[in-house]
Amino acid sequence: MNRVSTATGSIAADDEAYWATIAAQYAPSPDFINLENGYFGMQATPVFAAFQRHQATVNAENSYFLRERFESQLEDVMQTLARFCGVQRNELLLTRNLIEGMNILLQGYPFEAGDGVVCATHDYDSVVETLDMVQQRRQLDVVRIRVPLDPESDVQIVQLYEDAITAKTRVILVTHLVHRTGQIMPVAKIAAMAWARGVDVMVDAAHSFAQLDYRLPDLGADFVAVNLHKWLGAPLGVGAVYIRQPRIAGIAPLYGDTRTAVDNIHKLGHVGTVPPAPILNIVDALDFHLSMGSRNKEVRLRYLSQYWLQQVRALPGVQVLTPSDPARSCAIAVFRIQGIPSSQVAQRLMADYKIFTVLRGIDVDGSDGVRVTPHLYTRLQDLDTLVAGIRQISLEAAA
C-alpha cells in the first residue's frame, strides 16, 4: 500500500503550467462542463486506477481477503488517516458518509428531556432532519439562528450563537463550510465561546474536509463528522467521525453492540460487512491530495472561484449570495439573477453553454440560487464560458 507523500512546497494559485499537470490527472466527461463538484469529488485517474486494483484483489481473493488480509490493511489505512487528521487512531471511526456520522453523534449523545440545541437555518437538510427526529424523541428545545449572507466579522457570527444559548443548552451544531452559499464559519471561535459556557460543539465538516487546509483538532470541537468522498477524492461510501477520546464513553451506540468497551470508538461502528476497496483507496486519495499540498489545493480552489465571482459581481441584476471577503469562502459559490427563476438560469447554462450546475435553496431570505463549484481540473476557459453565459442571461433579464 502507498504511503502518504510529503507535501510539496508553495505553489502559486495562478501557476497555470503547474495546475495543468494536476488537471491532466483527471478525466471529466467531454460532453459538458461540470461545475457541480460539491456533491462528490471526481477521483483522479491514478486514484481511480488504484481503486480498481483493490476491487479486483477483493473479488479474486474473496473470503480469504476479508478473513486473513483486510484487518491489517485496514489498520494501516486508519493510522495513515489519523496522522493526516492530526488525531489519535482511537479517536477516529470510519463511516459510510457524513449523515451516518451525524446520526451516530446526535442519536448517541446523552440528551435529556428539555435540553437545548442551537443550530442555523443554513445547516444541511438531512442533518437537520436527524436533529428534528432526536428533538421529538428526547423533547429537546432547538433554537435556529440566521447567519447573514455577508457577515461583518467573526465576532458578529459568534455573538449570534452565544445569544442563542440558554441555561439548558447542551450542544451547538455548526456547519464548517455551508453547502447553500459556500460561507466558511468560524468554527474554532464558536467552539471556544461554547467551551467557556460549558456547551459542546458538533461540527458538520462535510465540505470543508480536504477543501480547506486544517486538522480536525484545529476546530476546537470534541465531535466532528466528515465526508471522504467529496474533496479528498476517495470513492463514494467512505466518511469518518472524530470524537475526542475522553468523550467516547458518553456516546451510546447507534448499532447493537454489547461486547466492546464503553470507551472504545469501535463500539459505534458495528455495522457488519463493509466494502474493502473504497476503504483501502483512502490512502491512495490521501497520497494524491498531499502530492500537491493541502494549502496549495485550498488557494487554487479559492482562486478558481474568485476568478468568475469577481467578473460577475458587478453585472446588472446579478446577486452573489456568497460572502464578498474571499477568505470567507473557497470553491463553492452561489448566485442568482433578478427577474429569472434560478431553475431557468441553470437550465439555460446547460442548454446553451453545456455547463452543469445545481440549484441550492438558501433558506436565509426565502430564495434560492445557482451553485457553482469548480474543481482542480476546471480550466479558466471553462469559467470564461460561465461568465459569458451569466452576462448574456442577465442582459436579457434587464432588457
Side-chain angles (χ1 to χ4, degrees):
M1 183 174 294
N2 294 335
R3 307 311 311 155
V4 173
S5 305
T6 302
T8 187
S10 178
I11 304 296
D14 59 353
D15 185 344
E16 297 304 325
Y18 173 81
W19 291 110
T21 67
I22 299 296
Q25 297 185 70
Y26 290 88
S29 170
D31 297 335
F32 60 95
I33 298 171
N34 184 9
L35 291 180
E36 187 351 44
N37 293 285
Y39 196 172
F40 70 98
M42 181 182 299
Q43 291 184 269
T45 301
V47 179
F48 182 58
F51 169 68
Q52 292 176 304
R53 292 193 297 272
H54 294 311
Q55 187 62 54
T57 298
V58 172
N59 191 61
E61 297 187 3
N62 195 258
S63 299
Y64 173 80
F65 182 88
L66 280 177
R67 294 187 183 279
E68 301 294 332
R69 298 185 58 194
F70 183 48
E71 184 175 355
S72 63
Q73 294 189 30
L74 171 61
E75 185 58 27
D76 187 48
V77 170
M78 295 307 298
Q79 292 285 355
T80 303
L81 181 61
R83 285 196 298 273
F84 175 76
C85 294
V87 304
Q88 299 299 311
R89 163 66 183 91
N90 62 1
E91 297 176 316
L92 205 60
L93 176 76
L94 285 184
T95 62
R96 285 170 286 192
N97 51 51
L98 173 115
I99 298 305
E100 182 175 51
M102 292 305 299
N103 269 273
I104 289 171
L105 295 176
L106 285 168
Q107 295 200 54
Y109 190 86
F111 287 115
E112 296 180 359
D115 282 346
V117 178
V118 176
C119 64
T121 57
H122 64 218
D123 292 324
Y124 186 55
D125 309 78
S126 295
V127 175
V128 171
E129 192 169 353
T130 301
L131 177 58
D132 288 344
M133 181 184 70
V134 176
Q135 176 188 21
Q136 295 170 15
R137 290 180 177 178
R138 305 281 186 88
Q139 293 81 54
L140 304 180
D141 179 21
V142 177
V143 176
R144 292 173 169 84
I145 67 171
R146 291 183 179 272
V147 177
L149 291 174
D150 200 2
E152 299 171 0
S153 66
D154 289 349
V155 172
Q156 180 191 23
I157 297 173
V158 174
Q159 192 64 55
L160 289 171
Y161 282 92
E162 185 167 18
D163 289 346
I165 293 175
T166 71
K168 284 286 191 176
T169 304
R170 294 286 304 280
V171 169
I172 295 177
L173 171 65
V174 185
T175 302
H176 190 190
L177 197 159
V178 180
H179 76 291
R180 301 180 193 278
T181 64
Q183 181 171 176
I184 299 170
M185 299 292 287
V187 173
K189 294 178 181 178
I190 295 170
M193 175 276 294
W195 183 86
R197 299 288 299 270
V199 175
D200 284 326
V201 171
M202 289 185 184
V203 182
D204 170 351
H207 284 274
S208 68
F209 188 81
Q211 179 179 167
L212 305 181
D213 179 24
Y214 70 96
R215 308 184 93 189
L216 295 184
D218 296 340
L219 301 179
D222 289 348
F223 309 98
V224 184
V226 308
N227 275 324
L228 304 181
H229 65 241
K230 287 188 182 291
W231 293 97
L232 183 62
L236 283 167
V238 282
V241 163
Y242 160 69
I243 304 175
R244 194 168 64 85
Q245 211 289 321
R247 306 304 306 276
I248 294 170
I251 303 296
L254 177 63
Y255 306 104
D257 189 285
T258 60
R259 292 180 290 179
T260 309
V262 69
D263 61 349
N264 187 331
I265 200 168
H266 288 126
K267 72 176 185 180
L268 305 175
H270 198 161
V271 298
T273 306
V274 296
I279 294 171
L280 298 178
N281 200 217
I282 292 170
V283 172
D284 305 301
L286 282 167
D287 208 27
F288 183 79
H289 172 89
L290 287 178
S291 70
M292 72 194 79
S294 296
R295 181 61 183 167
N296 292 329
K297 181 176 179 179
E298 176 183 340
V299 298
R300 174 60 176 181
L301 291 171
R302 180 173 288 111
Y303 173 79
L304 292 173
S305 184
Q306 291 299 315
Y307 179 86
W308 73 270
L309 281 174
Q310 291 174 3
Q311 297 184 67
V312 305
R313 283 189 183 275
L315 292 178
V318 175
Q319 181 184 6
V320 174
L321 304 172
T322 298
S324 55
D325 181 352
R328 293 194 178 277
S329 67
C330 192
I332 296 174
V334 179
F335 76 96
R336 64 181 174 219
I337 298 176
Q338 295 175 2
I340 305 181
S342 293
S343 59
Q344 292 184 19
V345 175
Q347 290 167 4
R348 279 284 307 277
L349 287 174
M350 187 63 178
D352 296 350
Y353 300 92
K354 298 300 180 183
I355 295 174
F356 181 62
T357 55
V358 67
L359 289 182
R360 272 295 166 259
I362 302 308
D363 198 21
V364 172
D365 57 3
S367 59
D368 59 17
V370 179
R371 188 175 79 177
V372 175
T373 312
H375 203 287
L376 294 173
Y377 60 80
T378 303
R379 304 170 300 174
L380 296 185
Q381 64 197 70
D382 297 333
L383 299 175
D384 289 337
T385 302
L386 171 69
V387 171
I390 295 174
R391 180 180 289 110
Q392 180 61 35
I393 297 171
S394 66
L395 287 173
E396 293 174 8

